[in-house]
Amino acid sequence: MPYASFASMPCTLGRPAALLGERWTLLLLRQIFLGTRRFEDFQATMEISRSVLTDRLNVLLQEGVLKRVPYQEDGRTRHEYRLTDKGRDLYPVMMALRTWGEKWMATEEDESFHLHHRDCGGGVRAKVECTDCGAELTARDVQVTARP
Amino acid sequence: MPYASFASMPCTLGRPAALLGERWTLLLLRQIFLGTRRFEDFQATMEISRSVLTDRLNVLLQEGVLKRVPYQEDGRTRHEYRLTDKGRDLYPVMMALRTWGEKWMATEEDESFHLHHRDCGGGVRAKVECTDCGAELTARDVQVTARP
DNA sequence: GTAGCTGAGTTCGAAATACGAACGCAAGGA
DNA sequence: TCCTTGCGTTCGTATTTCGAACTCAGCTAC
């Protein structure tokens, strides 16, 4: 199976993994969650080639993760890329990555950014929980069964 | 900046994003969390080319996400790839992807698998919470500030 | 009007990656 | 001795990515 055909794989973990597992896509989403919205800014901050940037933005537009929104600048109409509701729902994925990075990949030189809850000032972390009892779960607590 | 040099980017979200954002890596991790452990089985279930599989496994070994563990089969010593503690801690990332996939990418044909809490049988989902007050957070609830 | 600037792409030849079929190799078994 | 298995490595071809140059539309200044 060529990589591209995972887009149609019948698995709700496999399809997102294939979509976000394309080179540059996760880094692009990181920029977007940090507030970058314009083609030129993506290009400048990530040093991605323009043609690949065009391609990745188009894929995310097609998937409905991003939308193009017109805005005005010095009287001209331009467009910026913004998250849709679907895209905004990727927040837990990004936070899970960051929580993992903080625990396992942190170095002295990291100077990224702080995140805190607007209301109470607390920290932010991703976790997995049981929808019934609310317990926090690890891989060991979870049983995998084939779907009927 | 070529993609590879994000490996040294001073950001605890950027580095994991670059590592897992390499083609095949997320799909490989999915297989691993589903229980695949041997080279041949990865190759067969994902139809990845052998050389790329070798490369990705080596990267994950080097990063300490996987380890090679010897085991016996018909008297011969072989090796299998297993998650380290660091690797097992990627579980929330996978569950966040799946939670998102279930919500936004589910189709009729999906026949992947069920997950449930061993103790109480409940469902499984990823979420982001405040480390102080425990509230569930979305992107809008979180303030981003440059690190001092 | 026209020359220049800017944001947002598009094009294209060269370099890096991925593909897949064939090969290598070590350890058992027939 | 030869065959099979698991696990890679090699190598020529096909696909992606790179980066510099080009395009194009809508101002702005002259």
Side-chain angles (χ1 to χ4, degrees):
Chain A
M1 176 161 14
Y3 188 87
S5 66
F6 277 91
S8 59
M9 125 191 254
C11 171
T12 53
L13 170 53
R15 281 203 304 287
L19 173 63
L20 303 189
E22 202 66 86
R23 220 184 202 198
W24 290 111
T25 303
L26 278 176
L27 288 171
L28 190 49
L29 286 169
R30 165 182 175 274
Q31 274 315 125
I32 291 170
F33 276 102
L34 291 178
T36 304
R37 288 173 185 170
R38 301 187 194 171
F39 191 93
E40 291 299 309
D41 294 336
F42 290 123
Q43 221 270 309
T45 54
M46 312 203 307
E47 295 182 47
I48 184 178
S49 79
R50 304 175 79 82
S51 46
V52 175
L53 175 56
T54 300
D55 180 75
R56 295 300 182 271
L57 288 170
N58 284 336
V59 170
L60 293 175
L61 285 173
Q62 262 195 293
E63 289 292 331
V65 171
L66 299 181
K67 59 188 170 189
R68 292 182 87 226
V69 180
Y71 70 98
Q72 296 291 318
E73 188 180 75
D74 26 273
R76 302 172 57 183
T77 298
R78 299 199 168 289
H79 294 269
E80 57 184 18
Y81 296 90
R82 308 198 59 157
L83 291 165
T84 59
D85 289 342
K86 179 174 176 179
R88 217 169 292 112
D89 262 359
L90 281 170
Y91 198 63
V93 176
M94 294 291 123
M95 288 304 101
L97 278 176
R98 187 182 138 100
T99 300
W100 187 76
E102 290 283 328
K103 177 166 179 185
W104 292 102
M105 295 190 111
T107 70
E108 292 289 318
E109 300 85 48
D110 283 316
E111 30 162 273
S112 31
F113 44 82
H114 271 303
L115 300 179
H116 48 86
H117 183 191
R118 282 183 207 281
D119 291 358
C120 82
V124 176
R125 73 176 187 121
K127 75 170 198 182
V128 179
E129 71 168 26
C130 173
T131 55
D132 280 14
C133 73
E136 179 163 2
L137 306 177
T138 70
R140 295 190 200 280
D141 302 313
V142 177
Q143 175 95 43
V144 182
T145 51
R147 188 163 280 184
Chain B
M1 178 160 15
Y3 188 87
S5 67
F6 277 91
S8 59
M9 129 190 252
C11 172
T12 53
L13 170 53
R15 282 202 304 286
L19 173 63
L20 303 190
E22 202 67 84
R23 221 184 201 199
W24 291 110
T25 303
L26 278 176
L27 288 170
L28 189 49
L29 286 169
R30 164 181 175 276
Q31 272 318 123
I32 291 170
F33 276 103
L34 291 177
T36 304
R37 288 172 184 170
R38 301 187 195 172
F39 191 93
E40 290 300 310
D41 295 337
F42 291 123
Q43 221 271 308
T45 55
M46 312 202 308
E47 294 181 49
I48 183 177
S49 80
R50 303 174 82 80
S51 46
V52 175
L53 176 56
T54 301
D55 179 75
R56 294 299 183 273
L57 288 170
N58 285 335
V59 169
L60 293 175
L61 285 173
Q62 262 194 293
E63 289 292 330
V65 170
L66 299 180
K67 58 188 170 190
R68 293 181 85 226
V69 180
Y71 71 97
Q72 297 291 318
E73 188 178 76
D74 26 273
R76 300 173 58 184
T77 298
R78 298 199 169 292
H79 293 269
E80 56 185 18
Y81 295 89
R82 308 198 58 157
L83 290 165
T84 59
D85 289 342
K86 179 174 176 180
R88 217 169 291 112
D89 261 0
L90 280 170
Y91 198 64
V93 176
M94 295 292 125
M95 287 306 101
L97 278 176
R98 186 182 139 100
T99 300
W100 186 76
E102 289 284 328
K103 177 164 179 186
W104 292 102
M105 296 190 110
T107 70
E108 290 290 317
E109 300 86 47
D110 284 315
E111 30 161 274
S112 33
F113 44 83
H114 271 303
L115 300 179
H116 48 85
H117 184 192
R118 282 184 205 281
D119 291 358
C120 81
V124 176
R125 73 175 186 122
K127 74 170 198 181
V128 179
E129 72 169 24
C130 174
T131 56
D132 280 14
C133 72
E136 179 164 2
L137 305 178
T138 70
R140 295 190 200 280
D141 302 314
V142 176
Q143 175 96 42
V144 182
T145 51
R147 187 162 281 183

